[in-house]
Amino acid sequence: MRFLFAVLLWLLTTAALALTVTAAWTQSRIVDENGYVALTAPAADDPRVQRAIAGELTTQIVSLGKKQGSRVNETQVAELTATYTGGPQFRADFASVNRMAHQWLFTNSNSAQRDSQGSWQIDVAPMIKSLVPQGLSIKAPETLKVSVTDDNLAGLTPGRLVQVARFGQLAVWISFGLTLVLAGLTQLAVRSRAKGLVGLGISALLVGTAGWAGLEIGRRYLDRPLNRVNDNLRDVADSLVTQAIGNAHHWLSLTMAAGGLVIVVGVVSGLVGGLLRR
């Protein structure tokens, strides 16, 4: 009976640990604004992203030129935007755009509420403002919203995830506390503390392995929503997803490494305990 109770606690601990790792990564890399900006920053060095943003900026600048009655040479604009996206200023502007895109979903700011019924939008005005001094004969707009999708992707509207941002950190602490309590109970339920540690280490290994497998399987199902992203921004979205998956892989690798360390500690403590009892 005690063995079955210990197994049940171990299974619950493993599930709680999986929830904690998932919640902690989501909070620190998706929900947290600075964490999201840091997560997406490396995508600015992706040639696909640079080409995609350059193409979108060219389209928007040519359109602005026509609206403002300015003569804009599309070929020259394309060369200018290509040079810009390969330069250092683009990285800062890319971070700014991603920050505003995050605020569109996770805050109730005025800028997020401008189009409460529209599709997910980003503001490319900061990039155009950086380009104007380099020779563009147009007036930079204060804002220039570009729709990421033609419709509300998965029901995403401005401020839709405010509650997630508000209670995300609390959820992480609750799941972390639950994991510690269950791990402690598991240790109390087993006859050997060393075996208990080995079991907890195996839990971490299972969580990491299952996470890797889940990401590989889930990646296949992302093509459909990604295909709903408009034109040039499709490559940008794909690169951001790749960055997120790579970062999640890193977290899962650390989880497995921690599990391996706990197993080693458990095995060593078991051996030492066995020698001391002789």
Side-chain angles (χ1 to χ4, degrees), residues 2-88:
R2 181 175 180 177
F3 172 76
L4 292 177
F5 183 60
V7 170
L8 176 61
L9 285 172
W10 177 79
L11 290 173
L12 291 174
T13 301
T14 303
L17 178 61
L19 178 62
T20 298
V21 172
T22 302
W25 180 84
T26 302
Q27 173 63 30
S28 65
R29 288 294 177 260
I30 302 297
V31 179
D32 181 76
E33 184 178 310
N34 292 326
Y36 177 76
V37 173
L39 173 70
T40 57
D45 295 318
D46 186 340
R48 293 183 305 157
V49 171
Q50 294 175 359
R51 287 194 297 269
I53 295 295
E56 184 64 33
L57 288 174
T58 299
T59 299
Q60 296 299 328
I61 290 170
V62 171
S63 177
L64 275 174
K66 291 179 180 179
K67 291 178 182 178
Q68 296 177 6
S70 301
R71 289 188 176 182
V72 177
N73 185 302
E74 185 171 351
T75 301
Q76 292 179 347
V77 172
E79 293 176 353
L80 187 61
T81 56
T83 301
Y84 161 71
T85 54

Side-chain angles (χ1 to χ4, degrees), residues 193-217:
R193 300 292 178 264
K195 291 181 179 178
L197 285 174
V198 171
L200 294 176
I202 292 174
S203 291
L205 288 178
L206 287 175
V207 168
T209 303
W212 268 81
L215 287 173
E216 294 305 311
I217 295 173

